[in-house]
Amino acid sequence: MKMKALSYPYIVWIAIFIVVPLVLVFLYAITANGGNLTDARVTLDNFRKFMDPKYLDVLWISVKLALQSTVITLVVGYPIAMIIAKEKPSKRNIMIFLFVIPMWMNFLLRTYAWLTLLGKNGVINFIVTSLGFKPLDLLYHDGAVLLGMVYNFLPFMVLPIYSVLVKIDKSLIEAAEDLGANKFQIFTKITMPLSIPGVITGITMVFMPAVSTFVISRLLGGGQYMLIGNLIEQQFLWVGDWHFGSAISIIMMIFILITMALTSKFDSEKEGSRGLW
Amino acid sequence: MKMKALSYPYIVWIAIFIVVPLVLVFLYAITANGGNLTDARVTLDNFRKFMDPKYLDVLWISVKLALQSTVITLVVGYPIAMIIAKEKPSKRNIMIFLFVIPMWMNFLLRTYAWLTLLGKNGVINFIVTSLGFKPLDLLYHDGAVLLGMVYNFLPFMVLPIYSVLVKIDKSLIEAAEDLGANKFQIFTKITMPLSIPGVITGITMVFMPAVSTFVISRLLGGGQYMLIGNLIEQQFLWVGDWHFGSAISIIMMIFILITMALTSKFDSEKEGSRGLW
Amino acid sequence: MENNYIIDLKSISKEYDGVRVLDNINLYVRKNEFITLLGPSGCGKTTTLRIIGGFEQPTEGRVIFEGKDITNVPPYKRQINTVFQKYALFPHMNVFENIAFGLKIKKLPKNEIEKRVKEMLRLVNLQGFENRSIQSLSGGQQQRVAIARALVNEPKVLLLDEPLGALDLKLRKEMQTELKNMQQRVGITFIYVTHDQEEALTMSDTVVVMDKGVIQQIGTPEDIYNEPKNAFVAKFIGESNIIDGIMHEDFVVEFAGEVFKCIDKGFSKKETIEVVIRPEDLEITIPEEGKLKGIVKSVTFKGVHYEIIVNDGNRDWKIHSTIMKPVGTEIGMNIAPENIHVMKKVNEK
Amino acid sequence: MENNYIIDLKSISKEYDGVRVLDNINLYVRKNEFITLLGPSGCGKTTTLRIIGGFEQPTEGRVIFEGKDITNVPPYKRQINTVFQKYALFPHMNVFENIAFGLKIKKLPKNEIEKRVKEMLRLVNLQGFENRSIQSLSGGQQQRVAIARALVNEPKVLLLDEPLGALDLKLRKEMQTELKNMQQRVGITFIYVTHDQEEALTMSDTVVVMDKGVIQQIGTPEDIYNEPKNAFVAKFIGESNIIDGIMHEDFVVEFAGEVFKCIDKGFSKKETIEVVIRPEDLEITIPEEGKLKGIVKSVTFKGVHYEIIVNDGNRDWKIHSTIMKPVGTEIGMNIAPENIHVMKKVNEK
């Protein structure tokens, strides 16, 4: 009884601690650029400013890139998850370990590793120049950013799909086989539909960080390559327009929330997808 | 049978795609600063360079800060996880949702949110100045960085502990009660020991990103506040010494691996801790 | 006499979200008795047990333990221990630590704990298992550890919630005998919950048959089987033929179109009643000698006996007999007066 | 005659990692037969079923189906369907889709599928359940869907792997009767796996008792119960008293220090044998009239009968009788010649 009385204020306090920054971002977004909170004036200017084609273009590129990397990680990652799930438990764990290792490394570090591959003095260019060709400009375009994203986010696609596939009852496969289904039919009618919760978790876990990334695009895309994450960073850090920065953040968050709502609609089997949290 | 024959090359190829960058980082770390891979010369100079007190100091501060934020998130997060786990399922999900929302926001954004609280023109200073005091320099010191880390990493501590606590069979609690244990004894002898796998997952999920973070320290600690993550970033991006940067990365990775090995030693119940992957 | 009751439930009722799961339960348990709460799932037997254990609070009524009201005493202060349905052994402790748990809580000296745990392990036939992990034990062994963990605290009452439900048939039969012997050796009160009527009959001194939150009958196994109070009890305890009938006067009953002598009395004249006849109590004769006649509809070999379904033109009779009668034969059936059980007719909800 | 066999297992053996789980299984199954593989867990009965279904390949031996060798034919090409132990219903499909699965794979026209699924739902008594999700069904209903899903494909053989194992006692008994009726109605071969001897006796035309990967006995339920071939079968099928004895000559056997008449012959002179006596075949008499004498050690009420343990000074006898004898009384016991079952003595591994 006593515990209960203490626990509520604690939870409320913690919730405030978490929610307050979000509320502040919101407040900044709907006030004018006054430099100080005392001259705050409610306005939608910050959002209107974003409607400029140059900013909308950034949003469009960000979403496109995020979608592309989500699709690629899904197409590449699903077979990996399936192959690993079919192995014996001992082998399975080693293979999953191999996939998890890079996740232990700092996100930044992993991206830098790609710099060493793709950079002007990098390995690929070393091979190219030794063969007598002119060095290639591999960094600083869409392809490099996309490659970096796929590399960084692949484990987040493989792991949830794998963890759902591994839990599928083998007798379901046998039952389908018993009822006349061949290997292809088993996949399309049983394995695939049952793995949907894992696929959805994977998609959200890749799409959300991909759409808001700023490190990958800055390093591999060069300073001139602007994604929405970079735009936010720029506003806060270099331009100093917190109001506009907050407005972009809000827009991005709404965008992510919509995506979440859409994907979770397909996700009837709630248990499966919640497995990862 | 055919599937099997195709799957092995696929897995090997993907493994290379993941491992090659790591190998490259390693190669860079053990070669001299020659500007080009053709004049590569194996050396331990890069590691020797790190033995300088000024770099060791950075390592020491990074580890200390990561440890501090891990301990604080554990102390703050464990009661939260316990309180949520004791709620009814419907309420539980809402509360967990509240904790997960900030995780959907970009890491950077969450940190910026703190800037709006702690900054020169931020909310706290607004209150302080309206009361007639001189504005405080809240940003750019240990406290602010620590607060930012705790805020950012708290969900990663709460969720794994919560998911283990929620799975503890209620009849175990009843059995302990039946055998004469009071609420305190039930916690120390049953709940706590059974939640160890979640605690260990939480610790690794907070400590690892905390020790290698560079965004939080750069934004909240100011440019002069140097953590090991910032050091690596500096070497790659501003100084351009990839060899030394790689060496620091390797040192940090070894450090993280040792921590992982230490924590997993306490983690006899493997199933539980793997729940999160 | 009241002194002899160790537990006394007084008008216990229990509601969950407005649904009444226990309705006015009155039950006393004698010292050293083996009492079984028997009924289908959802009949309220486990809730009753949990109220005795203190894990649930009754909505109405009181729980008396050795003359004292313990309705609001928490479980950890009751001299009652429980063996849980799925054992609820602590997975992070070995066998010794599990059994010693209650004693350590009571802060007994170390050598005393060791002595008593060893003793218990002997009682449940698990000597040398001290350092085994719970996961490495079979279902039957876990079951024994759960019993040892409860008994080592020397409770005055042991509650057992379907403790054999998870075991297979053979092990279950073995453990039934073992549990009964254990109870007689340690000489404490066992309150046992099961849905298996055979288990209840085999082990108990007293059987309490429950249905829909209400006690249907309390009695010895023989009483319950031979003199079921109503059709529910008759159907639940063993197989039976239940036929509507009329009680003409004391010792005379009419059913299936014939008048029979019986040994029941105390009904009003011409009262509509139900008659229970156990399948093994129908004697097969040649058609001429049988009071009832019928044609064999099916025969199934059941091991000890054949199950013969006979149709008399109006209804099917189930007969258990060691004599085989081929399908299609006409046979006669007789019933001895003492095998005709007359029950008051209750309108089922 | 060979034409009458639908399935013929020829010298089937199976090894896993060098451990032999099936050893030289020879078994034929007749058309429209209800055959049960019975044995304790780990006896190889499920492996045998899985070999027939095509889910496992035998290490040695051949599987013949209607005269053709199908040992290497994959499951999806066999005219055999299976009801799995835990039903294995597809959780992402509703009842209709589950049952229609096999027909859709065969690309039958839509209205034909609908007609046959409806028919099946009627057969298993689940009309109107088409759109229900699998999760919303009770265990018994899921069980019926699993049977419908298999039967709708009109297999020539239906394999059932402990299909009633997850149901509770009462539902199990109901489903036993229902399954047997269903088999007779649809008129196809059922191969049934269970560890429950009562289930096997009740439902089967033929029972195959297995232990340690070897077939111990094949026969009708009556054969198996009344004339067990060895001590394992006798112990596994029902309760029994098993006593060492000597066969003096045809129809004369000595055990428990007495010479009895019996109806067995064909043993060598003075051969050491084992005698099985069912508990219900021991007649209780007054001590003076009994060939065997003993003191009652314990009495348990079991519903239909009392279980009386009698000690004759050398061993315990288990008697099932409707007469109660108090503990401590001296009684006599007689055995009719036809109730003495003489078996060859086998050295247990």
Side-chain angles (χ1 to χ4, degrees), chain D residues 180-317:
Chain D
K180 179 72 186 167
N181 290 342
M182 228 181 266
Q183 189 253 344
Q184 284 165 346
R185 247 178 297 153
V186 296
I188 60 173
T189 309
F190 274 39
I191 305 181
Y192 194 96
V193 157
T194 184
H195 67 269
D196 182 334
Q197 40 103 349
E198 208 187 307
E199 204 165 283
L201 294 181
T202 303
M203 302 170 78
S204 323
D205 300 316
T206 305
V207 177
V208 180
V209 185
M210 294 181 70
D211 186 39
K212 292 171 187 158
V214 177
I215 293 179
Q216 302 290 330
Q217 188 168 0
I218 304 179
T220 64
E222 281 94 338
D223 284 348
I224 298 276
Y225 188 84
N226 292 330
E227 291 297 335
K229 257 198 188 158
N230 58 41
F232 172 81
V233 177
K235 267 188 243 166
F236 197 76
I237 312 287
E239 298 182 272
S240 48
N241 299 288
I242 300 179
I243 314 111
D244 286 334
I246 294 162
M247 199 72 184
H248 280 295
E249 54 188 271
D250 284 357
F251 312 120
V252 179
V253 64
E254 184 190 333
F255 59 89
E258 299 284 334
V259 176
F260 293 81
K261 274 188 201 166
C262 68
I263 55 167
D264 296 273
K265 57 174 180 169
F267 293 85
S268 25
K269 268 209 162 190
K270 300 281 174 194
E271 186 175 340
T272 312
I273 46 83
E274 282 178 313
V275 174
V276 173
I277 294 153
R278 297 289 180 190
E280 68 270 20
D281 290 337
L282 280 161
E283 294 154 37
I284 297 181
T285 63
I286 51 170
E288 295 73 40
E289 287 179 5
K291 198 149 186 178
L292 299 166
K293 280 180 249 323
I295 309 281
V296 174
K297 231 175 101 181
S298 80
V299 183
T300 315
F301 181 68
K302 289 273 187 181
V304 181
H305 54 75
Y306 293 89
E307 181 171 293
I308 303 171
I309 307 292
V310 176
N311 191 288
D312 69 357
N314 293 310
R315 65 184 64 74
D316 285 347
W317 296 84

Side-chain angles (χ1 to χ4, degrees), chain A residues 172 174 177-180 189 193, chain D residues 50 76 81-82 89 92 153:
Chain A
L172 294 180
E174 282 185 354
E177 219 180 341
D178 184 69
L179 294 165
K189 296 191 180 242
Chain D
R50 289 173 63 81
Y76 67 93
N81 283 117
T82 308
L89 297 174
H92 58 301
N153 300 289

Side-chain angles (χ1 to χ4, degrees), chain C residues 48-295:
Chain C
T48 309
L49 199 78
R50 287 173 62 82
I51 286 174
I52 300 173
F55 304 112
E56 310 264 359
Q57 299 291 316
T59 313
E60 286 160 41
R62 288 177 304 134
V63 181
I64 311 294
F65 179 79
E66 291 187 324
K68 276 165 289 178
D69 187 334
I70 58 160
T71 316
N72 298 311
V73 174
Y76 68 92
K77 287 185 182 157
R78 299 190 182 194
Q79 283 174 298
I80 297 172
N81 283 117
T82 307
V83 176
F84 291 85
Q85 195 163 10
K86 274 162 194 156
Y87 320 142
L89 297 174
F90 305 129
H92 58 301
M93 302 181 187
N94 62 23
V95 170
F96 182 92
E97 289 163 342
N98 260 283
I99 300 177
F101 187 86
L103 304 178
K104 279 185 188 159
I105 292 284
K106 290 194 196 85
K107 299 213 166 62
L108 261 65
K110 221 176 166 190
N111 54 345
E112 168 78 8
I113 293 180
E114 216 152 298
K115 208 189 99 216
R116 279 170 64 176
V117 172
K118 283 248 161 84
E119 227 165 69
M120 266 303 134
L121 282 170
R122 193 151 19 85
L123 182 77
V124 297
N125 241 319
L126 285 178
Q127 295 104 313
F129 277 67
E130 285 89 340
N131 297 318
R132 291 279 290 273
S133 77
I134 296 304
Q135 290 78 19
S136 73
L137 301 183
S138 71
Q141 291 166 341
Q142 290 190 19
Q143 222 278 321
R144 283 164 214 222
V145 175
I147 293 169
R149 187 179 64 174
L151 282 183
V152 80
N153 301 290
E154 295 172 355
K156 293 197 173 163
V157 176
L158 187 68
L159 310 179
L160 301 104
D161 187 6
E162 306 221 21
L164 308 180
L167 305 183
D168 70 33
L169 200 75
K170 212 187 157 195
L171 198 54
R172 201 140 104 202
K173 298 237 162 175
E174 282 173 27
M175 284 303 295
Q176 280 173 17
T177 320
E178 221 171 285
L179 263 180
K180 179 73 187 165
N181 291 342
M182 230 180 266
Q183 189 252 345
Q184 285 165 345
R185 245 177 297 153
V186 294
I188 61 172
T189 309
F190 274 39
I191 305 182
Y192 194 95
V193 157
T194 184
H195 66 269
D196 182 334
Q197 39 103 348
E198 208 187 307
E199 204 165 284
L201 295 181
T202 303
M203 301 170 78
S204 322
D205 300 316
T206 304
V207 177
V208 180
V209 184
M210 295 181 70
D211 187 39
K212 293 170 185 159
V214 177
I215 291 179
Q216 303 290 331
Q217 188 169 358
I218 304 179
T220 63
E222 279 95 338
D223 285 348
I224 300 275
Y225 188 84
N226 292 332
E227 292 297 335
K229 257 197 189 159
N230 58 41
F232 172 81
V233 177
K235 268 189 241 164
F236 197 78
I237 312 288
E239 296 181 274
S240 48
N241 299 287
I242 299 179
I243 315 109
D244 286 334
I246 295 162
M247 199 72 186
H248 282 294
E249 54 187 273
D250 283 358
F251 312 121
V252 179
V253 62
E254 185 191 332
F255 59 90
E258 299 283 336
V259 176
F260 293 81
K261 276 189 199 163
C262 67
I263 54 168
D264 296 273
K265 55 174 183 172
F267 293 86
S268 27
K269 265 207 166 191
K270 300 280 175 195
E271 185 175 341
T272 312
I273 45 84
E274 283 179 312
V275 174
V276 173
I277 293 151
R278 298 287 179 191
E280 68 270 21
D281 290 338
L282 280 161
E283 291 155 40
I284 297 179
T285 62
I286 51 171
E288 295 72 41
E289 288 179 5
K291 199 151 187 177
L292 300 165
K293 277 179 256 313
I295 308 281

Side-chain angles (χ1 to χ4, degrees), chain B residues 158-178:
Chain B
V158 172
L159 286 176
I161 297 176
Y162 161 79
S163 67
V164 170
L165 284 179
V166 135
K167 274 184 223 141
I168 292 179
D169 189 352
K170 270 203 172 176
S171 68
L172 293 181
I173 310 295
E174 283 185 354
E177 219 179 340
D178 184 71

Side-chain angles (χ1 to χ4, degrees), chain C residues 302-347:
Chain C
K302 289 274 188 182
V304 180
H305 53 76
Y306 291 90
E307 181 171 292
I308 303 172
I309 307 292
V310 176
N311 191 286
D312 68 359
N314 294 309
R315 64 184 65 74
D316 284 348
W317 296 84
K318 188 185 274 180
I319 307 177
H320 287 176
S321 166
T322 48
I323 306 154
M324 213 277 265
K325 289 283 169 188
V327 174
T329 8
E330 192 183 13
I331 60 158
M333 294 175 286
N334 280 327
I335 314 160
E338 69 270 22
N339 290 331
I340 296 173
H341 310 297
V342 178
M343 305 177 307
K344 281 200 178 287
K345 197 173 166 90
V346 226
N347 291 323

Side-chain angles (χ1 to χ4, degrees), chain D residues 77-139:
Chain D
K77 287 184 182 160
R78 298 190 183 195
Q79 284 175 295
I80 297 173
N81 283 117
T82 308
V83 176
F84 290 85
Q85 194 162 10
K86 274 163 195 156
Y87 319 143
L89 297 174
F90 305 128
H92 58 301
M93 302 181 187
N94 63 24
V95 170
F96 181 92
E97 290 163 341
N98 261 281
I99 300 177
F101 187 86
L103 304 178
K104 279 185 188 159
I105 291 284
K106 289 192 197 86
K107 298 212 167 59
L108 260 64
K110 222 178 165 187
N111 54 346
E112 167 79 8
I113 292 180
E114 217 153 293
K115 208 190 97 213
R116 279 171 64 176
V117 171
K118 282 246 162 83
E119 225 166 72
M120 265 303 134
L121 282 170
R122 191 151 22 84
L123 182 78
V124 298
N125 242 317
L126 285 177
Q127 295 104 316
F129 277 67
E130 284 89 340
N131 297 318
R132 290 277 292 275
S133 77
I134 295 303
Q135 289 78 20
S136 73
L137 302 182
S138 71

